[in-house]
Amino acid sequence: MKKLLLLLTVCLAGLHAMAEMPVHFGIHGGVSSNRIKFAKSLSELKTQADKGFMVGAFLRLNTKIFYLEPSFNYSRQKSIAGADDQHLDIKLENNTFEIPLMLGVKILDLSLFKLRAFLGPQVSFGKLKNIKKLPGNLSPDKTNWSGRAGIGIDLWKVTFDVDYEKGFHKMAPEIKTPRSYNFTLGFKII
């Protein structure tokens, strides 16, 4: 019985030491609800939000209160565009590689549970698919800047984040900045 208690104590001390490391590396993935809107010149087109996904890796650099978290992600955002009078129904896909840089603050910092808030910029490189099916000659930018803000929890090595993302500028003169709500689940490997 004493050996079992000693083993359990050593394991818990090891878990606590791993939770307090200044650097974490992990993988994450999630789902999103996305909507791409159009400018007044294409006001006959109405859009609906659709589901998307994201997979990637993150690195978290911790201090006592703050942390810095760069990531590298692949994301697919979808939105449905249509016009009632033209019987048009087009699924727009924005396939991008994203590099967000989040600055966070630890609101609640217990040994195995953390509550945090974060915000920061994100640059994305990619292509908007099915754009040629829309009326007009649209040519969206391949590089876009956006911002993210959200909250997250860490439970031992598992992370869960909820954030809101909004673009800083239009993707093209006729295409407004995409907006999305993201739900991400991650695992800290180190």
Side-chain angles (χ1 to χ4, degrees):
M1 185 68 167
K2 287 182 182 180
K3 289 181 182 180
L4 182 62
L5 285 175
L6 179 62
L7 180 63
L8 184 61
T9 304
V10 169
C11 287
L12 287 175
L15 289 175
H16 179 72
M18 286 176 64
E20 297 301 317
M21 287 179 61
V23 177
H24 293 288
F25 172 77
I27 56 174
H28 58 189
V31 295
S32 59
S33 175
N34 316 285
R35 188 167 182 190
I36 300 171
K37 289 187 172 185
F38 299 101
K40 290 181 182 179
S41 60
L42 292 175
S43 61
E44 74 275 3
L45 292 175
K46 305 297 181 210
T47 59
Q48 295 176 350
D50 201 0
K51 293 182 279 279
F53 71 89
M54 178 276 298
V55 293
F58 66 92
L59 179 71
R60 189 178 299 164
L61 307 168
N62 294 301
T63 65
K64 190 75 173 164
I65 299 172
F66 298 101
Y67 68 91
L68 187 65
E69 185 176 297
S71 302
F72 183 75
N73 307 320
Y74 173 75
S75 173
R76 177 175 287 166
Q77 298 174 328
K78 294 182 180 180
S79 189
I80 300 170
D84 295 333
D85 58 344
Q86 299 173 3
H87 303 290
L88 191 64
D89 195 18
I90 300 167
K91 286 194 177 233
L92 299 173
E93 283 186 15
N94 193 21
N95 298 320
T96 60
F97 288 100
E98 302 171 339
I99 303 172
L101 181 60
M102 298 296 110
L103 176 62
V105 62
K106 298 172 188 170
I107 298 169
L108 182 62
D109 190 4
L110 304 174
S111 62
L112 294 177
F113 177 82
K114 293 174 181 30
L115 175 65
R116 20 181 203 88
F118 56 89
L119 64 91
Q122 171 178 282
V123 64
S124 59
F125 311 94
K127 184 176 181 181
L128 187 61
K129 285 185 165 183
N130 297 334
I131 196 73
K132 302 222 184 271
K133 294 180 181 179
L134 294 173
N137 188 14
L138 305 177
S139 58
D141 291 339
K142 294 187 181 201
T143 303
N144 289 296
W145 286 89
S146 58
R148 282 184 163 188
I151 58 170
I153 60 170
D154 295 346
L155 184 59
W156 184 55
K157 289 186 162 217
V158 177
T159 66
F160 179 70
D161 295 341
V162 176
D163 66 69
Y164 175 72
E165 177 185 343
K166 183 176 182 333
F168 291 144
H169 63 85
K170 292 182 178 182
M171 294 176 71
E174 304 84 359
I175 304 173
K176 292 184 179 180
T177 58
R179 298 176 182 182
S180 66
Y181 293 96
N182 306 298
F183 306 90
T184 308
L185 186 64
F187 184 77
K188 293 185 257 184
I189 298 170
I190 297 175

